[in-house]
Amino acid sequence: MDFERFDKLARSDRVTLLTALELLWQNGRMMLQTEDESVLMAGYIASIGGFYTKEKLHEVMTTAKELASLETAELIRCLRCGSMKMKNQDADEEGVCPICGGELEYGNDKPLDDGGVYEWTCPDCGAIGKEGYSKVFDRHYDVHDGDGNPYPALPDSAKPIAVPETAEGPLSPCTPEVVVMAADRIYALSPADTAELNACFPRDDWGEYFWGFTCFSRQDYAKVVPLDGVDEIMLGIQCVQGGCLCEMAIRWHMISNKSTPRLEMFDEAWPLFRTPTFVSVLEQLTQMSQNHIPTPDEVSALLIAHGFTDQSDRPLGTSNG
């Protein structure tokens, strides 16, 4: 199985993909690769009953065997880059106050093209806020407690951090301040970057690709997916159609009671070191590291200033409410 097939399943037949992943996790890679399919089928039929036809079970089994052939790192890459959305177990509930859990009372509503916004008040604790709907309930936002304070409070480490101004001018390649981009706004790769990348990844559709990144702590799945470290930024060349060309990780680990970043990558991403944009990012990180250990938010701000699109579920500078 390659990334394209994984992503296609995630988009068009997620039931098959998730069932196959569950089968992989229950039985293990070696079992799926060595055990006869009929034995595996019999065991799985006994566990799930008559929910699937034999044809569907065969499709699930075939997919599970394909997943079992992937190396762990490649499977993780597919899960990160594919069209998989994981809902936070602490996500907002419709009609329930996110502060005290009381039942909400609704006021004015503002219809939108793809949903609407409902203002609410919590009679139990006095909180106010709005419910956003995208045809169905989405989440609570713009929440304030009974004293008018934003909820949850934004910690100092989550506030936008300005990047020092350079003599190079706006976006060439640094800007003097953080720019929080809209979800549908991206910067195309520069001709200098594509010239270097094309030597290793020959293609004619570079207009479909851009610099992008996500920060683990600002992802919806951060509370339910374990991470080998304190925080992580995944960055690289991404495609507007979904997926990525190559990527790397800056992962923060606790060393001598300090959260310290470490660059981690596979060899497919080594060509990024030749691009002017990434070279400039490394130069700025080197300068920053001479004074203090860069935080995930500082690195995020630096990437945004170099034209990267923050594709985290909660982009830098937005409210967590």
Side-chain angles (χ1 to χ4, degrees), residues 49-70:
F51 289 105
Y52 296 116
T53 63
K54 287 187 176 180
E55 291 76 11
K56 190 64 175 179
L57 279 174
H58 177 72
E59 183 181 350
V60 170
M61 190 64 62
T62 300
T63 303
K65 284 181 172 290
E66 291 182 42
L67 291 170
S69 68
L70 294 175

Side-chain angles (χ1 to χ4, degrees), residues 3-4 74 77 81 189 193 196-198 200-201 203 206 209-213 234-239 242-249 264-275 278 308:
F3 172 76
E4 286 72 20
E74 183 63 19
R77 175 179 176 270
C81 295
L189 296 176
D193 287 342
E196 292 291 345
L197 292 169
N198 203 56
C200 300
F201 308 102
R203 57 197 319 124
W206 283 112
Y209 292 87
F210 62 98
W211 289 101
F213 75 95
M234 296 294 298
L235 63 107
I237 304 295
Q238 301 181 354
C239 181
C244 57
L245 181 65
C246 55
E247 64 179 357
M248 66 184 70
E264 303 176 9
M265 59 196 302
F266 293 105
D267 57 356
E268 66 176 11
W270 288 352
L272 298 184
F273 282 100
R274 301 176 57 181
T275 61
F278 191 64
F308 283 69

Side-chain angles (χ1 to χ4, degrees), residues 39-216:
V39 176
L40 292 171
M41 287 275 284
Y44 205 56
I45 289 174
S47 65
I48 67 173
F51 289 105
Y52 296 116
T53 63
K54 287 187 176 180
E55 291 76 11
K56 190 64 175 179
L57 279 174
H58 177 72
E59 183 181 350
V60 170
M61 190 64 62
T62 300
T63 303
K65 284 181 172 290
E66 291 182 42
L67 291 170
S69 68
L70 294 175
E71 294 294 333
T72 302
E74 183 63 19
L75 179 57
I76 292 175
R77 175 179 176 270
C78 289
L79 289 168
R80 288 186 179 279
C81 295
S83 302
M84 301 289 288
K85 292 291 185 181
M86 303 179 70
K87 190 173 180 62
N88 189 337
Q89 64 180 1
D90 298 321
D92 292 334
E93 295 183 54
E94 179 181 5
V96 178
C97 177
I99 297 179
C100 71
E103 185 176 352
L104 301 178
E105 293 182 353
Y106 295 95
N108 299 326
D109 62 284
K110 300 176 183 179
L112 303 173
D113 290 341
D114 59 350
V117 175
Y118 293 84
E119 297 179 352
W120 56 256
T121 301
C122 177
D124 293 340
C125 70
I128 60 173
K130 302 175 184 177
E131 275 186 4
Y133 289 82
S134 297
K135 296 185 179 178
V136 294
F137 173 73
D138 180 19
R139 65 185 180 91
H140 296 292
Y141 61 96
D142 195 21
V143 179
H144 293 73
D145 62 24
D147 296 325
N149 301 311
Y151 176 86
L154 186 65
D156 292 339
S157 61
K159 296 177 181 177
I161 303 168
V163 178
E165 185 173 1
T166 70
E168 300 181 13
L171 288 178
S172 63
C174 299
T175 55
E177 59 184 354
V178 176
V179 179
V180 179
M181 288 177 275
D184 58 350
R185 182 183 177 189
I186 62 174
Y187 292 110
L189 296 176
S190 70
D193 287 342
T194 56
E196 292 291 345
L197 292 169
N198 203 56
C200 300
F201 308 102
R203 57 197 319 124
D204 298 323
D205 59 345
W206 283 112
E208 297 284 312
Y209 292 87
F210 62 98
W211 289 101
F213 75 95
T214 57
C215 182
F216 180 84

